[in-house]
Amino acid sequence: MFKRITNLEGTKVHVYSQPTPDSEEEKPWVVSLDDFMTEEEIDRILEYGQQTGYQQSGKTFNGNHQGQKTTQARTSENSWCGFQIAFACPFHSYHQFGDTCFDDPIVEGLLKRVSDVTGVPLQNFNEMQILRYQKNQYYKTHGDYIVEDAARRTGGRILTFFLYLSDVIEGGETEFPRLDPPIKVTPKKGTALLWSNVLNQNPHEEDIRMWHQALPVIKGTKYAANLWIHIRDVRTPNEYKCYG
């Protein structure tokens, strides 16, 4: 998939990390695509963020913050491209989304483009999480893969398609400190950053080298969005409210 993406016509692709023939251990892929979003698409996503409202981001219960408290690990704020409705399921909480942006004609075009680029159907896409980092806000080193998801119908988050919705005057880079050498990506409005959260030889096993962090914003405000892609259909189980 990644090799095909690097050869996309009419798209400027930057390769930050890739496998090399002479490497003893296969390096993971990290690529970005310039000008992946239109101004209209960005504005519409930000509009959803304002409508839903930003709240301090909570800690996910997957052990991927090395035991840090929420306020220590993550000070950013997040919203959703849709309105959350909470349910209680037998073994976990569930959040269903109403007025989802998956049904919005403007955002739908973007999502279909992501599907075309990755070769993964839209049914495997989580609802889009919209992020806001104001001055001094950050998210310390963490992984996107949730181990508990592997036993659910949806399977784990195999890919992260990260969308930069704004430029940042200073700071706010996305850093992968566990890669050798570490890489750091500067936010650029309209750019998409793509990486795998699992091992190439075993898509059911987390690649801990892909843990990453959002460095503090020094000047300006950073807007971005997470689009997590699962190994299996995540949207159909959601229609039944529980996916355990």
Side-chain angles (χ1 to χ4, degrees):
M1 178 194 77
F2 282 96
K3 192 170 183 180
R4 173 178 54 79
I5 289 173
T6 63
N7 296 314
L8 287 175
E9 291 186 11
T11 303
K12 189 173 182 180
V13 179
H14 297 271
V15 179
Y16 292 93
S17 176
Q18 65 178 320
T20 54
D22 57 346
S23 176
E24 293 184 6
E25 185 179 16
E26 185 176 275
K27 286 187 175 183
W29 283 95
V30 181
V31 302
S32 69
L33 298 84
D34 283 357
D35 301 317
F36 189 78
M37 292 170 283
T38 67
E39 290 286 344
E40 184 181 36
E41 290 165 347
I42 292 171
D43 290 345
R44 189 72 183 105
I45 293 170
L46 291 174
E47 185 179 336
Y48 270 102
Q50 292 295 337
Q51 288 176 353
T52 311
Y54 289 93
Q55 297 180 348
Q56 182 172 350
S57 303
K59 177 179 176 180
T60 55
F61 296 95
N62 60 350
N64 282 3
H65 297 83
Q66 302 175 310
Q68 300 172 97
K69 294 180 180 179
T70 303
T71 53
Q72 295 174 328
R74 187 179 190 181
T75 61
S76 61
E77 302 161 300
N78 73 263
S79 184
W80 297 92
C81 211
F83 298 92
Q84 283 191 313
I85 306 169
F87 288 89
C89 289
F91 303 106
H92 60 279
S93 61
Y94 168 79
H95 294 90
Q96 185 184 35
F97 294 86
D99 192 23
T100 171
C101 67
F102 272 66
D103 300 323
D104 185 290
I106 295 174
V107 182
E108 184 182 27
L110 168 63
L111 297 173
K112 286 183 177 179
R113 201 155 60 250
V114 175
S115 179
D116 289 342
V117 166
T118 60
V120 181
L122 289 173
Q123 287 85 351
N124 293 34
F125 290 20
N126 251 134
E127 200 73 29
M128 188 185 296
Q129 184 189 56
I130 308 169
L131 307 168
R132 181 172 67 186
Y133 291 81
Q134 301 188 80
K135 185 178 179 181
N136 297 325
Q137 290 186 330
Y138 58 83
Y139 191 177
K140 290 187 177 180
T141 304
H142 64 282
D144 287 347
Y145 189 82
I146 299 177
V147 176
E148 289 81 2
D149 280 349
R152 296 173 180 165
R153 300 180 196 177
T154 62
R157 298 169 174 174
I158 56 172
L159 298 169
T160 296
F161 210 96
F162 192 77
L163 306 168
Y164 291 107
L165 306 178
S166 70
D167 296 318
V168 180
I169 299 172
E170 186 178 359
E173 298 92 345
T174 304
E175 183 182 39
F176 295 82
R178 295 187 173 190
L179 292 181
D180 184 19
I183 64 173
K184 193 183 295 184
V185 182
T186 300
K188 183 181 177 184
K189 187 177 182 179
T191 293
L193 185 65
L194 173 64
W195 65 86
S196 173
N197 297 307
V198 295
L199 296 172
N200 186 50
Q201 63 271 27
N202 184 2
H204 300 285
E205 184 176 344
E206 181 183 13
D207 188 345
I208 60 174
R209 297 172 300 175
M210 300 314 298
W211 282 31
H212 50 282
Q213 62 178 335
L215 296 178
V217 170
I218 298 172
K219 190 175 183 180
T221 301
K222 172 185 173 182
Y223 287 95
N226 276 312
L227 195 57
W228 294 301
I229 301 175
H230 287 250
I231 195 169
R232 293 189 291 273
D233 182 356
V234 70
R235 304 202 68 76
T236 302
N238 282 356
E239 292 176 5
Y240 294 94
K241 298 186 175 58
C242 293
Y243 50 82

